[in-house]
Amino acid sequence: MIATARYEMAMMLRKRSMWITNAVIVLLLVLLNVSGWGDALRDPDARNTVASTVFLMNLMLPVGYGSLLADRLIRDSRLGVAPILDATPASPTGRLAGKYLGTCAAAAVPLAVILFGFAAVYSVTAGRPVALAWAALAYAVVVLPAVLFVGAFALTVPLVMPAPLFRVLFVGYWFWGNGISPAVMPTTTQSVLSPAGVYSNQELVGLRDFTLAGPVPGATLNFLRPEATPATAWLSVGVLLAVAALALGVAQTLRTRTTR
Amino acid sequence: MRIEISGLTKVYKGKGRALDDLDLVVPTGMFGLLGANGAGKTTLMRILAGLLRPTAGTVRVGEHDGTARAGRLAVQQILGYLPQDLGVYPDLTAREFLDYIALLKGIDDRAARRRRVGELLEVVALTGDADRRLRGYSGGMRRRVGIAQALLADPRLLIVDEPTAGLDPEERIRFRTLLSQLAGQRTVLLSTHIVDDVAQTCRELAVLASGRLVFRGTVGDLTRQADGRVWTVVTAGPAPTTGTVVSALPHDDGMRYRVVGDSPPAFDASPAAPNLEDGYLALAQKA
Ligand SMILES: Nc1ncnc2c1ncn2[C@@H]1O[C@H](COP(=O)(O)OP(=O)(O)OP(=O)(O)O)[C@@H](O)[C@H]1O
Ligand SMILES: [Mg+2]
């Protein structure tokens, strides 16, 4: 498992498109609101500044890395490496876990560069080095759960449909399930099931610009939106990870069914 | 290590039988597997490598039951497998790729792994290119990487599916010689369309056709299938129409044809000594 994780991570990190995609999205986010970022860099409220930056990152960047992770599992058979790997005594479950953790780790590297890069610049311009600590917390409770959630589906779903179709559906899902306001239509937006991570961002990191987590009056699926507290924030992280594990379990079942 | 296959049947969903009640014993040493496209060679090898479950029948590899989970795992511990449609990760170097497979094969000691990978890169003559990404490798070079990975854990059972396809003549000869040197105490199962590779390396072989065993014996036995059925004829006229023309060479008086068939292709045809390829063709004609 460790061997697979190591090499899968190395291969993903060598993917130039991963760096380009992230860079393009970040560039767009910056260019679309240059003056806003100027204000943010002088805002003395380190906690809220980090939190709202992470909110934006986690709303936009998963579209990129989710699409990029989509070929990682299926490409073993497409490239013809699968028979070599499958003929080794290494456990298939361990290899799947290694692939998952390795590719997710690689996808998380550019996110770390972006978040900690921002936090570092901000600590200087606003004179608030504590931003680095908030960034570390946000990375752990908001960014990583999203990577693990998205990564699990990006590995699994292309087993049952072509990867390009998955990418299209995924982008659609992402903005439906994390972007659209629950007042407009039934959606998982602002719920504990939303990998954008509003619960943990609001309750653990301290997003204060706007309140997103918690019940939305008149919306459907409000049973997925309990009162926002630190406990429900952790619950949300747990739910996301559990759903991810479930998806991987499905991947493992599908693979043993098709290869044998 | 002896492989005993009995009643082996594989039905792909929606297709006919790729293997049909196959009984075969493969002894220690080097063993050749011949057969037309779609005869079932790859299917048999994939089952032996534990990649495919048979529909019916049993496989014993040494003392292991190749159809049970524990047995398959035990076989994979001693297995080197070179698939027919082999691929590599384009974004790794040859050295990294081999290191990765070595790890999966359980060579955990770092120094031992490095040494082994270095040795095998030398064996397949890729030392000079070892630190280049595989993306830039030619087809033959990739196949050599595939050969190297099959040999990594010093396997006692080596299953190679058309290993010499795409190799240049020099590499092909080097590799088949290596295989027969390795054979000694090991079992090497070689499938190929290059009959000469079998002739030069194997004592015994089997021929499959439509998933059934149509021949099993020594190279000499198969060659003798063509006894009295090989002819050469020189003619300036049209090519012989009876039998199978195996070669046509320009000659001073027209063309010299070599033909495998029941009867002489022309009144002035002269009998010739058969080789393994003739034997293989004669077998196919009889079937
Ligand atoms: N994955 C598969 N799904 C369905 N049918 C298959 C599959 N693989 C092989 N077959 C069928 O099984 C039969 C045997 O195929 P196999 O690949 O074992 O032949 P082979 O002897 O290796 O041929 P070749 O010399 O072309 O490599 C063929 O009729 C083929 O169409
Ligand atoms: Mg084949």
Side-chain angles (χ1 to χ4, degrees):
Chain A
M1 177 181 110
I2 294 166
T4 308
R6 212 177 87 201
Y7 275 106
E8 288 290 342
M9 181 170 174
M11 288 189 284
M12 185 78 186
L13 286 175
R14 285 177 191 179
K15 224 175 131 136
R16 216 172 299 152
S17 55
M18 179 175 78
W19 296 96
I20 296 171
T21 310
N22 280 298
V24 167
I25 299 178
V26 168
L27 208 65
L28 281 176
L29 290 179
V30 171
L31 290 179
L32 284 176
N33 190 5
V34 176
S35 65
W37 288 107
D39 296 343
L41 287 177
R42 284 186 300 274
D43 189 334
D45 188 348
R47 210 171 155 182
N48 182 54
T49 306
V50 167
S52 46
T53 304
V54 165
F55 173 73
L56 201 59
M57 269 180 74
N58 229 25
L59 196 58
M60 304 308 293
L61 291 171
V63 172
Y65 65 72
S67 304
L68 287 163
L69 287 170
D71 70 336
R72 291 291 116 174
L73 187 54
I74 49 170
R75 79 177 190 142
D76 282 358
S77 5
R78 207 191 55 219
L79 288 171
V81 188
I84 295 181
L85 305 179
D86 291 341
T88 65
S91 120
T93 315
R95 282 197 288 120
L96 179 69
K99 184 178 276 281
Y100 173 61
L101 295 177
T103 51
C104 284
V109 169
L111 308 180
V113 171
I114 295 163
L115 179 54
F116 290 103
F118 170 80
V121 172
Y122 171 82
S123 2
V124 176
T125 55
R128 302 280 286 140
V130 71
L132 286 166
W134 289 118
L137 176 68
Y139 190 72
V141 300
V142 182
V143 176
L144 287 184
V147 171
L148 291 171
F149 181 88
V150 169
F153 282 92
L155 291 191
T156 307
V157 182
L159 289 174
V160 294
M161 64 171 74
L165 179 60
F166 164 76
R167 294 191 177 107
V168 172
L169 292 178
F170 173 69
V171 173
Y173 151 74
W174 188 261
F175 290 114
W176 164 77
N178 301 284
I180 275 189
S181 160
V184 178
M185 63 168 86
T187 163
T188 56
T189 308
Q190 304 182 16
S191 75
V192 289
L193 259 183
S194 160
V198 280
Y199 273 83
S200 47
N201 200 351
Q202 189 174 307
E203 294 305 314
L204 304 176
V205 188
L207 186 65
R208 259 165 294 175
D209 270 355
F210 25 79
T211 312
L212 290 176
V216 178
T220 45
L221 301 178
N222 260 346
F223 68 95
L224 291 173
R225 297 187 190 87
E227 283 304 326
T229 64
T232 48
W234 286 115
L235 172 75
S236 167
V237 171
V239 166
L240 290 175
L241 295 183
V243 173
L246 210 65
L248 285 178
V250 171
Q252 182 60 15
T253 319
L254 282 175
R255 264 158 46 91
T256 43
R257 261 238 313 268
T258 51
T259 57
R260 302 265 180 229
Chain B
M1 172 138 348
R2 221 168 111 91
I3 305 175
E4 288 171 41
I5 296 159
S6 68
L8 194 65
T9 301
K10 175 70 196 179
V11 181
Y12 288 109
K13 266 197 203 104
K15 293 249 185 162
R17 292 170 171 235
L19 289 177
D20 191 0
D21 199 16
L22 180 73
D23 298 308
L24 177 65
V25 174
V26 178
T28 305
M30 185 121 175
F31 192 87
L33 200 56
L34 292 176
N37 290 136
K41 305 180 296 294
T42 299
T43 302
L44 172 60
M45 291 182 143
R46 287 174 60 84
I47 290 174
L48 292 176
L51 301 180
L52 208 59
R53 292 236 182 99
T55 312
T58 59
V59 171
R60 289 201 72 80
V61 178
E63 68 273 29
H64 308 299
D65 176 0
T67 43
R69 195 181 142 82
R72 267 204 316 272
L73 204 62
V75 172
Q76 290 183 333
Q77 303 275 2
I78 52 161
L79 170 73
Y81 174 55
L82 175 63
Q84 178 174 8
D85 303 308
L86 118 131
V88 291
Y89 285 124
D91 23 31
L92 294 182
T93 68
R95 197 185 297 283
E96 289 169 332
F97 184 72
L98 292 177
D99 184 70
Y100 179 29
I101 306 298
L103 278 165
L104 293 183
K105 288 194 175 186
I107 309 179
D108 290 327
D109 180 64
R110 197 187 169 119
R113 207 167 60 234
R114 279 211 186 138
R115 189 164 4 94
R116 187 69 186 142
V117 168
E119 275 168 21
L120 285 170
L121 284 165
E122 197 66 44
V123 166
V124 296
L126 283 176
T127 307
D129 294 295
D131 297 307
R132 269 177 50 203
R133 299 269 170 93
L134 291 165
R135 183 188 312 282
Y137 272 41
S138 73
M141 288 164 83
R142 284 178 196 202
R143 194 150 281 273
R144 273 142 68 186
V145 174
I147 291 166
Q149 67 76 28
L151 298 175
L152 271 170
D154 198 15
R156 284 168 59 211
L157 169 62
L158 198 53
I159 296 181
V160 288
D161 200 351
E162 299 190 28
T164 54
L167 295 190
D168 63 49
E170 212 175 320
E171 275 306 316
R172 198 184 104 213
I173 290 167
R174 246 163 58 87
F175 178 61
R176 74 182 187 201
T177 310
L178 174 71
L179 276 186
S180 41
Q181 284 165 347
L182 283 174
Q185 288 312 300
R186 299 179 177 82
T187 302
V188 180
L189 187 58
L190 163 77
S191 101
T192 180
H193 291 292
I194 303 172
V195 177
D196 193 43
D197 281 352
V198 172
Q200 300 300 328
T201 54
C202 302
R203 217 175 68 76
E204 290 187 277
L205 75 156
V207 180
L208 296 186
S210 313
R212 293 167 194 267
L213 185 69
V214 291
F215 175 86
R216 187 192 181 292
T218 64
V219 167
D221 293 338
L222 184 55
T223 307
R224 275 191 289 281
Q225 299 279 321
D227 272 350
R229 299 166 66 98
V230 185
W231 320 86
T232 58
V233 57
V234 175
T235 168
T241 49
T242 59
T244 310
V245 175
V246 288
S247 77
L249 284 172
H251 190 265
D252 291 342
D253 307 317
M255 295 288 270
R256 175 203 284 276
Y257 294 99
R258 184 182 168 92
V259 180
V260 176
D262 293 336
S263 50
F267 69 91
D268 58 346
S270 47
N275 60 29
L276 187 64
E277 196 163 31
D278 301 329
Y280 177 71
L281 287 171
L283 185 75
Q285 285 173 354
K286 287 180 195 170

